[in-house]
Amino acid sequence: MKPGYKRVKRMTAFMRINHWVVAICMVAAVATGLYIGHPYYQTLIAEPAVNKYVMAWNRWVHLMAAIIFDVSSIVIAYLYFFSRFEKPYKKLLPTPKNIGEFVAVFVNLITFNRVKKFDSSHSDSFNTVFFFVFHLMLAWMLLTGLQLYVHGLESGMSSIGSWWPAMLHLVTDWTVPLTGGTYMDVRMSHHTTMYFIIAWVMFHIYYQVWRTIFWQEGDIAIVFGGSKFVKEK
């Protein structure tokens, strides 16, 4: 450890595993989702795509990745309130302290670390709100994705019975009028949100590298070892 620094625990082993599972599933969901919307690589296969079940496999991987996303989101929602390590919901409350910290971190970012008036040893309000927006987009992708999925079950039946399509209709049918009134509107909203998520990921990676370079506290190492290093006062 570098002299003058102390090690600060920022992520548990479970949090790190969850982070990388979500990252892998996101890559899988984006790649297969793009193919479902526009089969861009079936022409590279010598045999007809139907013989290789290319679309079926892409839909299966897309659905599995979405299911893992959903489970992860439920776990994260639980940990927001009941985690023994930290409770992120406290950073989302619009208290004067949280608003002040949010502004301070944002000013630090746009001034390239020329003004740093906050404690960077913990999860700050800016990053917490940023991740909360990400989880909201994942929830929207879940709802619109399930609406597109249940739309394909026109018979009202599934391999596990009629209760499953009925429940999905009950939970997701409201996304149709909200997005414009047609299933294509739902599809376009689902597709467009994917690009917002990709933009979110790009900024997330940039910001973590930025913090590592400017703060010199090893923030990029948090998702690997769970800790960062903060200057001792």
Side-chain angles (χ1 to χ4, degrees), residues 79-100:
L79 294 177
Y80 254 67
F81 297 94
F82 303 108
S83 172
R84 289 181 295 177
F85 181 72
E86 64 178 8
K87 293 179 171 58
Y89 83 91
K90 293 183 178 180
K91 286 291 182 178
L92 294 175
L93 299 176
T95 62
K97 180 180 178 181
N98 286 341
I99 294 174

Side-chain angles (χ1 to χ4, degrees), residues 69-120:
F69 265 139
D70 299 343
V71 174
S72 171
S73 298
I74 293 172
V75 171
I76 289 173
Y78 173 82
L79 294 177
Y80 254 67
F81 297 94
F82 303 108
S83 172
R84 289 181 295 177
F85 181 72
E86 64 178 8
K87 293 179 171 58
Y89 83 91
K90 293 183 178 180
K91 286 291 182 178
L92 294 175
L93 299 176
T95 62
K97 180 180 178 181
N98 286 341
I99 294 174
E101 185 178 62
F102 182 96
V103 173
V105 177
F106 179 72
V107 170
N108 176 256
L109 175 63
I110 63 176
T111 59
F112 295 98
N113 201 41
R114 289 186 174 87
V115 179
K116 190 168 184 291
K117 298 179 179 179
F118 55 90
D119 181 10
S120 58

Side-chain angles (χ1 to χ4, degrees), residues 56-75:
W57 278 112
N58 273 272
R59 287 174 61 85
W60 184 84
V61 172
H62 194 75
L63 185 60
M64 291 302 105
I67 290 173
I68 297 174
F69 265 139
D70 299 343
V71 174
S72 171
S73 298
I74 293 172
V75 171

